[in-house]
């Protein structure tokens, strides 16, 4: 209970929530749904109660319907399950996230088709290919892997503050 209180305080004063909280963007809502999904997953493993699977699904599906970044919840949870929990009780439910993700993304594409008349709407495939092509991004943005890693580390330091990043790293290593 005390940890949750401190986590809430730390989260509410981090620059990322202050910055995005004032803007009409989806990231704070997706972050809340993602935290709900992770909380449901952790409680599912701790208590083995099915109601936490539904809580996890609510967080995952809610986040995925709000913004595409909600899909990122699936990868770390499946990886964690396969690395540390494989063969235990919830295997079917956890692995069912893969087809659920595909269905949700297909619904997203259908929604784009209805709105724009194109299956991949507004050139989403072209944008993906432009961003995925390292030669093009290197020529346009001066992109290199080293610059990318340094920029991500800078974002972590700016948005989550150095002290919170250090505390999170220590917690993960324990």
């Amino acid at each position: 209970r005390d940890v949750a209180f401190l986590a809430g305080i730390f989260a509410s004063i981090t620059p990322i929530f202050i910055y995005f909280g004032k803007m009409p963007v989806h990231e704070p809502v997706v972050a809340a749904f993602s935290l709900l999904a992770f909380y449901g997953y952790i409680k599912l493993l701790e208590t083995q109660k099915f109601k936490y699977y539904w809580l996890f699904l609510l967080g995952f599906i809610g986040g995925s319907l709000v913004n595409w970044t909600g899909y990122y919840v699936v990868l770390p949870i499946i990886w964690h399950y396969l690395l540390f929990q494989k063969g235990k009780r919830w295997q079917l439910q956890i692995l069912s996230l893969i087809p659920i993700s595909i269905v949700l993304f297909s619904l997203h594409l259908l929604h784009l088709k209805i709105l724009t008349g194109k299956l991949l709407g507004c050139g989403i495939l072209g944008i993906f290919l432009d961003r995925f092509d390292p030669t093009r991004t290197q020529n346009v943005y001066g992109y290199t892997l080293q610059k990318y890693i340094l920029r991500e580390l800078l974002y972590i330091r700016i948005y989550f503050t150095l002290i919170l990043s250090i505390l999170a790293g220590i917690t993960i290593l324990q």
Side-chain angles (χ1 to χ4, degrees):
R1 189 175 186 157
D2 294 335
V3 172
F5 178 72
L6 287 174
I9 288 176
F10 280 134
S12 64
I13 62 171
T14 57
I16 193 168
F17 280 97
I18 293 170
Y19 176 76
F20 282 120
K22 293 186 276 185
M23 300 171 60
V25 294
H26 300 103
E27 277 76 7
V29 178
V30 173
F33 276 115
S34 297
L35 288 173
L36 182 67
F38 281 114
Y39 175 76
Y41 175 69
I42 290 167
K43 292 302 280 184
L44 174 70
L45 295 180
E46 285 178 358
T47 65
Q48 299 293 312
K49 293 184 179 175
F50 199 72
K51 68 180 180 179
Y52 291 111
Y53 178 71
W54 289 111
L55 185 66
F56 161 70
L57 271 184
L58 174 70
F60 163 61
I61 292 172
S64 298
L65 291 176
V66 169
N67 199 6
W68 62 269
T69 53
Y71 292 106
Y72 286 128
V73 169
V74 171
L75 291 176
I77 287 179
I78 289 177
W79 283 338
H80 177 268
Y81 184 82
L82 291 175
L83 288 175
F84 301 108
Q85 305 290 322
K86 189 174 183 178
K88 293 193 179 173
R89 179 173 174 200
W90 302 100
Q91 186 167 347
L92 179 63
Q93 288 85 359
I94 298 301
L95 294 179
S96 70
L97 296 174
I98 296 168
I100 291 171
S101 298
I102 292 169
V103 168
L104 284 174
F105 191 70
S106 299
L107 290 173
H108 175 74
L109 293 177
L110 177 64
H111 185 242
L112 285 176
K113 170 79 172 155
I114 293 169
L115 291 178
T116 65
K118 301 177 193 171
L119 183 60
L120 296 176
C122 303
I124 193 170
L125 181 62
I127 292 169
F128 171 76
L129 293 175
D130 282 345
R131 291 183 181 178
F132 192 71
D133 182 9
T135 57
R136 181 174 284 178
T137 54
Q138 186 173 5
N139 293 337
V140 174
Y141 304 112
Y143 171 84
T144 63
L145 183 59
Q146 181 182 8
K147 285 183 180 180
Y148 172 76
I149 291 170
L150 290 173
R151 181 169 301 250
E152 289 302 313
L153 291 172
L154 178 65
Y155 285 154
I156 288 170
R157 185 168 173 231
I158 291 170
Y159 286 137
F160 297 108
T161 70
L162 187 58
I163 189 69
L164 286 180
S165 299
I166 290 170
L167 290 174
I170 290 170
T171 303
I172 289 171
L173 293 175
Q174 288 181 347

